[in-house]
Amino acid sequence: MYKYPFAEAVGKRYLDPNSSNRVWAMVFDIDRPQASMAWDDAMLPEPNWTCQNPENSHAHLGYALAVPVSRSINSLRKPQALMARVEHAMSTALGADPAYGHRFTKNPLHPTWRTFYGRGSGYDFEELRSYLPDHLPLIRNRGEAIGEGRNVLLFTDLRNWAYRARLRFPSLDAWLRGCFEKAQAMNSQFHAPLPLSEVKATAKSVAAWTWDHMSPEKFAAIQARRSAKASVLRQSNKMDLTARMLGASI
């Protein structure tokens, strides 16, 4: 992966339509004849562009978003999770390649490809959801995660692991290495692993937060609060049971 100025990047055969921190478009890789009409076969809305390989008719279908979704490590997780679920459902409906990395795509401006332009404005998720099943699956299996779903799942799984593992590491350096190694192991389970830079950023963010918020002292305080709440709840339940028993005996 190389970064080029815009004027130079648009001359390449392949490029990433999204920036490092924002998703502006979702792209799907269709590896079969008549791929350019896969959206119509799946009863999905028309892509903003279709970039076809003239030699085998395989194609990339691009859907621009009306509002980009931030995917930085500090961004809100709900928009990312919604995008991941919509992207996965659309990929399934299109019969798109699940191993596609959803980063580099055929450049629609390059003469190598045959490009068809469709709708001129971007889509919002509510409109896209109207073409999909009512209940979009929440993907928990790393082997099934695609596109932005990989980022969401890596962050969620690594965070859940870090909550339990934090107290096993005596130093920050050891903890940073431990989180990165665990993130790498999780990433290797995706069909199309995330770039190393994204894995490092996720591991660093999770490690920094859990190191600051899950120290032995803070963990003990959390456990004490939970124990106190549980004690109050048990006492309240006993009082309710006693009241019901007295009421039944009158």
Side-chain angles (χ1 to χ4, degrees):
M1 297 174 63
Y2 299 93
K3 290 185 178 180
Y4 291 99
F6 177 80
E8 191 174 351
V10 294
K12 303 296 182 182
R13 293 178 66 198
Y14 295 90
L15 49 72
D16 188 345
N18 300 305
S19 64
S20 58
N21 290 325
R22 285 182 173 82
V23 178
W24 298 85
M26 297 187 298
V27 182
F28 303 92
D29 180 24
I30 316 296
D31 292 331
R32 61 177 183 271
Q34 307 301 321
S36 61
M37 294 305 296
W39 61 274
D40 190 50
D41 296 336
M43 294 186 289
L44 290 178
E46 182 182 24
N48 295 94
W49 77 88
T50 299
C51 203
Q52 185 187 64
N53 184 336
E55 296 183 359
N56 57 21
S57 297
H58 296 181
H60 284 183
L61 276 57
Y63 288 84
L65 300 180
V67 178
V69 175
S70 176
R71 63 177 174 196
S72 71
I73 201 66
N74 296 317
S75 303
L76 294 175
R77 311 310 293 183
K78 285 187 177 180
Q80 295 178 354
L82 175 59
M83 175 175 59
R85 296 171 78 174
V86 168
E87 184 180 49
H88 192 279
M90 290 181 66
S91 180
T92 300
L94 290 166
D97 182 4
Y100 173 53
H102 291 258
R103 294 300 298 268
F104 285 103
T105 184
K106 296 177 175 66
N107 180 0
L109 303 177
H110 199 276
T112 298
W113 318 118
R114 183 185 295 127
T115 300
F116 307 94
Y117 292 100
R119 171 165 156 160
S121 58
Y123 288 94
D124 60 46
F125 289 123
E126 288 304 314
E127 182 176 0
L128 292 174
R129 284 194 67 173
S130 68
Y131 290 87
L132 299 169
D134 292 337
H135 301 289
L136 301 182
L138 180 62
I139 304 303
R140 298 297 307 152
N141 185 337
R142 295 186 202 113
E144 297 177 3
I146 64 169
E148 294 304 315
R150 298 168 301 168
N151 301 74
V152 173
L153 197 55
L154 177 63
F155 178 84
T156 301
D157 288 352
L158 185 63
R159 180 187 59 184
N160 291 336
W161 170 84
Y163 290 159
R164 301 188 299 271
R166 160 66 182 89
L167 300 184
R168 301 203 305 265
F169 291 79
S171 68
L172 178 57
D173 286 343
W175 178 233
L176 289 170
R177 288 195 301 271
C179 282
F180 179 53
E181 290 171 0
K182 187 66 176 180
Q184 282 185 302
M186 291 178 174
N187 187 49
S188 68
Q189 296 174 348
F190 295 129
H191 277 304
L194 291 164
L196 186 61
S197 59
E198 294 187 31
V199 177
K200 285 182 176 179
T202 300
K204 184 178 179 180
S205 176
V206 170
W209 192 94
T210 49
W211 183 263
D212 290 339
H213 292 81
M214 298 296 290
S215 65
E217 296 77 15
K218 291 185 177 181
F219 185 77
I222 291 173
Q223 291 294 86
R225 288 197 298 270
R226 289 176 178 172
S227 178
K229 289 181 179 179
S231 177
V232 171
L233 181 60
R234 286 195 298 270
Q235 188 65 29
S236 176
N237 289 338
K238 287 181 179 179
M239 293 173 66
D240 290 343
L241 178 60
T242 301
R244 288 197 299 270
M245 291 173 64
L246 289 173
S249 64
I250 297 176

